[in-house]
């Protein structure tokens, strides 16, 4: 017996709940956006998942399945924050490829590689000095700047990511490395 889409959806909701169904639907709708970002970065699209994690998002390497982006349930409730997470983590994925492959040039390749092996993680995310130190690391600066660049170029939106003073550095980085 062939079930209608409505029957399949109701079965999914009964088995996993309305919230999980809504997340699945939204993740499916985001696939074309992930493909667009992947094309811009010249990488393979990554799969997305939603979990209850402390950070906004993270890039996860699954040994059998490759890389995936995990987005916090908190951020996933806001479409703009979800888009920012995807952009940021896709850029981190590109950075990993730049570092790992000799045929992918980048003017800051050695700096990114050094930073990745010696990453500063703030102990107190409410401490402005610690967050500035974290944000200004080469690997994070690049990912935040790329997010801002993408919003302006493709979504025609100005984006303030962190702090007005640091935005000037993002703009300089965009002008020098992303245009």
């Amino acid at each position: 017996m062939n079930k209608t889409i409505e029957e399949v959806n109701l079965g999914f909701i009964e088995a996993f709940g309305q919230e999980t169904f809504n997340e699945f639907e939204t993740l499916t709708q985001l696939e074309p956006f992930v493909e667009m970002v992947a094309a811009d970065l010249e990488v393979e699209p990554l799969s997305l998942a939603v979990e209850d994690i402390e950070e906004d998002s993270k890039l996860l390497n699954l040994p059998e399945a490759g890389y995936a982006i995990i987005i916090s349930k908190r951020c996933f409730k806001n479409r703009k924050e979800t888009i920012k997470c995807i952009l940021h983590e896709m850029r981190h994925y590109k950075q990993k490829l730049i570092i790992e492959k000799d045929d992918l040039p980048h003017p800051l390749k050695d700096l990114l590689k050094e930073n990745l092996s010696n990453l500063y993680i703030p102990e107190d995310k409410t401490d402005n000095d610690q967050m500035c130190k974290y944000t200004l690391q080469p690997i994070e600066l690049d990912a935040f700047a790329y997010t801002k660049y993408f919003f302006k170029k493709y979504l025609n939106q100005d984006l303030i990511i962190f702090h007005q003073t640091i935005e000037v550095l993002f703009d300089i980085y965009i002008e020098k490395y992303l245009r």
Side-chain angles (χ1 to χ4, degrees), residues 83-119:
I83 297 297
K84 286 167 46 179
C85 289
I86 292 168
L87 291 166
H88 188 90
E89 300 304 336
M90 289 285 292
R91 186 61 181 188
H92 280 323
Y93 177 62
K94 174 72 176 201
Q95 292 166 348
K96 288 187 178 295
L97 294 177
I98 289 168
I99 289 167
E100 293 169 0
K101 298 182 184 234
D102 292 332
D103 62 339
L104 283 177
H106 189 280
L108 302 176
K109 184 177 198 156
D110 292 337
L111 195 57
L112 293 172
K113 187 175 185 175
E114 169 62 31
N115 184 207
L116 190 59
S117 66
N118 196 14
L119 192 62

Side-chain angles (χ1 to χ4, degrees), residues 12 35 49 52 79 82 98 103 105 110 114 119 127 137 141 153:
F12 186 102
E35 291 172 6
D52 195 12
R79 182 73 162 207
T82 299
I98 289 168
D103 62 339
D110 292 337
E114 169 62 31
L119 192 62
D127 182 295
Q137 296 176 100
L141 175 62
K153 182 175 181 181

Side-chain angles (χ1 to χ4, degrees), residues 31-48:
E31 287 175 4
F33 178 75
V34 171
E35 291 172 6
M36 178 184 170
V37 176
D40 185 62
L41 290 169
E42 299 176 339
V43 299
E44 293 297 316
L46 300 179
S47 53
L48 304 175

Side-chain angles (χ1 to χ4, degrees), residues 57-97:
S57 59
K58 64 182 176 181
L59 183 64
L60 186 64
N61 186 3
L62 306 167
E64 307 253 338
Y67 285 92
I69 297 171
I70 310 301
I71 302 169
S72 74
K73 287 184 179 275
R74 174 181 35 80
C75 284
F76 196 71
K77 293 177 182 175
N78 181 307
R79 182 73 162 207
K80 188 173 187 177
E81 290 302 314
T82 299
I83 297 297
K84 286 167 46 179
C85 289
I86 292 168
L87 291 166
H88 188 90
E89 300 304 336
M90 289 285 292
R91 186 61 181 188
H92 280 323
Y93 177 62
K94 174 72 176 201
Q95 292 166 348
K96 288 187 178 295
L97 294 177

